[in-house]
């Protein structure tokens, strides 16, 4: 009697556990969940790249200072953090409806097969 009850309970518990695991995995594989996971990974990768770039920049500044000392240069190291990006270039347009005046002409060449022989 107890043996049957034990195995019945163990089977029911295993079934509940397996069902819960399958449902969790199915929820992880929904398109919304996959999109959220991809976005989180992209943001994390962006932070890592930013940290890497900052480390590289700090190393560059340090190395420039070391080289400046070794070469006897007293010029201060230029810190580019406060410098802004240049303004975007814009094409100068006089008349948006105007078409280019360049014309292409194909030269006419007369070809006679009898001339080759």
């Amino acid at each position: 009697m107890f043996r049957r009850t034990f195995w019945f309970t163990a089977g029911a518990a295993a079934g509940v556990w397996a069902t819960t695991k399958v449902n969790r995995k199915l929820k992880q594989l929904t398109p919304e969940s996959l999109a959220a996971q991809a976005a989180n990974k992209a943001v994390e990768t962006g932070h890592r790249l930013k940290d890497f770039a900052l480390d590289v920049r700090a190393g560059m500044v340090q190395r420039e200072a070391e080289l400046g000392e070794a070469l006897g240069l007293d010029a201060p190291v230029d810190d580019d953090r406060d410098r802004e990006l240049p303004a975007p270039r814009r094409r100068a347009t006089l008349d948006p409806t105007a078409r280019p005046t360049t014309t292409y002409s194909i030269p006419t060449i007369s070809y006679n097969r009898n001339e080759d022989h």
Side-chain angles (χ1 to χ4, degrees):
M1 175 78 174
F2 287 115
R3 186 185 264 177
R4 286 184 182 178
T5 306
F6 170 76
W7 287 114
F8 177 77
T9 306
V16 168
W17 178 80
T19 304
T20 305
K21 280 286 216 187
V22 168
N23 284 337
R24 280 187 198 160
K25 188 53 87 173
L26 287 175
K27 285 181 183 178
Q28 287 179 352
L29 296 177
T30 60
E32 295 84 12
S33 178
L34 291 175
Q37 289 175 10
N40 288 339
K41 292 283 184 182
V43 168
E44 182 180 332
T45 302
H47 288 303
R48 286 184 181 177
L49 285 173
K50 180 181 176 186
D51 291 341
F52 174 72
L54 291 175
D55 289 343
V56 167
R57 179 176 291 236
M60 285 173 36
V61 169
Q62 179 183 0
R63 183 64 179 150
E64 284 181 12
E66 290 173 0
L67 289 173
E69 287 180 15
L71 296 174
L73 301 175
D74 293 333
V77 176
D78 186 21
D79 191 9
D80 293 333
R81 290 183 192 157
D82 297 332
R83 193 169 73 183
E84 294 182 15
L85 293 175
R89 295 183 182 182
R90 297 182 186 210
R91 293 184 180 179
T93 57
L94 299 176
D95 184 13
T97 60
R99 296 192 174 205
T101 58
T102 306
T103 58
Y104 299 100
S105 63
I106 300 173
T108 57
I109 300 173
S110 65
Y111 182 70
N112 187 356
R113 289 186 169 196
N114 295 330
E115 292 176 359
D116 291 340
H117 299 294

